[in-house]
Amino acid sequence: RSNRPRIIAIAIFAGIFLGVFAAFMRRALQTALEDPAQIEQAFGVPVYASIPHSKLQQTLASRSTDPARLPLLARIASMDAAIESLRNFRSALQFCMSQSRNNVVLITGPTEGLGKSFVSVNLACVMAASGKRALLIDGDLRDGHLHRYFHAERSVGLSDLLAGAPLDAVLRRELMENVDFISTGNLPP
């Protein structure tokens, strides 16, 4: 004859134990770097800024009625924490690049969905707001979509420039004050 209360108690205990064990194992096997100090220590590369995820940007993008147009947070909500972090990043970049031979900044990452486009377009906007000129180039020839932030067409761009088109044909001047833009252009097969 089964002892129902005893079986329920054992099942609850086993469930809690297995849940906690699984959480600890998942945390132990996770290899993601979460702290900028870990990056500096592991790779010897200085971290100049940490940009938080913007829930406002996510909300604005999900509310957008036109999927071909993305909201530019630096224009809409310039006091958002992510934009303030980008201002700090801009200041750090200006300081550390004062002695460099060029002013080229590459924003990249290993996978999609990390915020490379968000950081690129909003950093260009923040740089332009400080009076600096910026040339933003969308180099994602697989699925570039920076043109959507400027409510522009992909049309001619970087791929066409690489194929021999003249710079004047692909460069879009002053899509916003102090920002010039080169889109991905016609995506290659």
Side-chain angles (χ1 to χ4, degrees):
R1 193 170 162 185
S2 63
N3 186 351
R4 195 174 265 178
R6 188 171 168 192
I7 292 173
I8 291 173
I10 290 172
I12 289 173
F13 177 74
I16 290 172
F17 175 76
L18 289 174
V20 169
F21 180 74
F24 277 116
M25 287 304 294
R26 183 175 178 188
R27 180 73 174 167
L29 296 175
Q30 186 178 13
T31 59
L33 298 172
E34 296 176 358
D35 185 24
Q38 289 176 312
I39 295 170
E40 289 178 341
Q41 184 179 29
F43 302 108
V45 176
V47 176
Y48 295 111
S50 179
I51 301 161
H53 179 76
S54 174
K55 292 184 182 193
L56 179 59
Q57 173 72 20
Q58 189 174 7
T59 303
L60 290 171
S62 66
R63 286 184 190 166
S64 177
T65 56
D66 185 2
R69 294 181 168 208
L70 291 173
L72 184 54
L73 191 63
R75 277 188 179 172
I76 297 168
S78 63
M79 298 311 292
D80 187 76
I83 301 303
E84 189 59 37
S85 294
L86 284 169
R87 281 192 201 95
N88 292 338
F89 182 50
R90 175 198 64 203
S91 299
L93 274 177
Q94 289 174 339
F95 176 73
C96 74
M97 293 180 70
S98 63
Q99 303 299 322
S100 74
R101 292 182 290 137
N102 62 41
N103 293 327
V104 177
V105 176
L106 173 70
I107 308 292
T108 187
T111 61
E112 62 182 320
L114 296 177
K116 300 176 292 289
S117 297
F118 172 81
V119 169
S120 300
V121 74
N122 284 289
L123 179 62
C125 188
V126 166
M127 292 292 262
S130 72
K132 302 286 185 188
R133 293 199 46 81
L135 170 61
L136 182 62
I137 302 173
D138 190 352
D140 186 354
L141 295 180
R142 286 180 295 153
D143 187 31
H145 61 271
L146 291 183
H147 62 280
R148 293 169 43 195
Y149 285 100
F150 297 109
H151 311 289
E153 297 294 321
R154 178 175 280 148
S155 63
V156 294
L158 181 62
S159 62
D160 303 293
L161 182 66
L162 294 173
L167 179 61
D168 290 337
V170 300
L171 183 63
R172 296 182 192 166
R173 297 189 184 277
E174 299 286 332
L175 283 181
M176 58 184 283
E177 188 177 349
N178 290 333
V179 176
D180 297 334
F181 178 62
I182 297 177
S183 69
T184 56
N186 299 311
L187 296 179

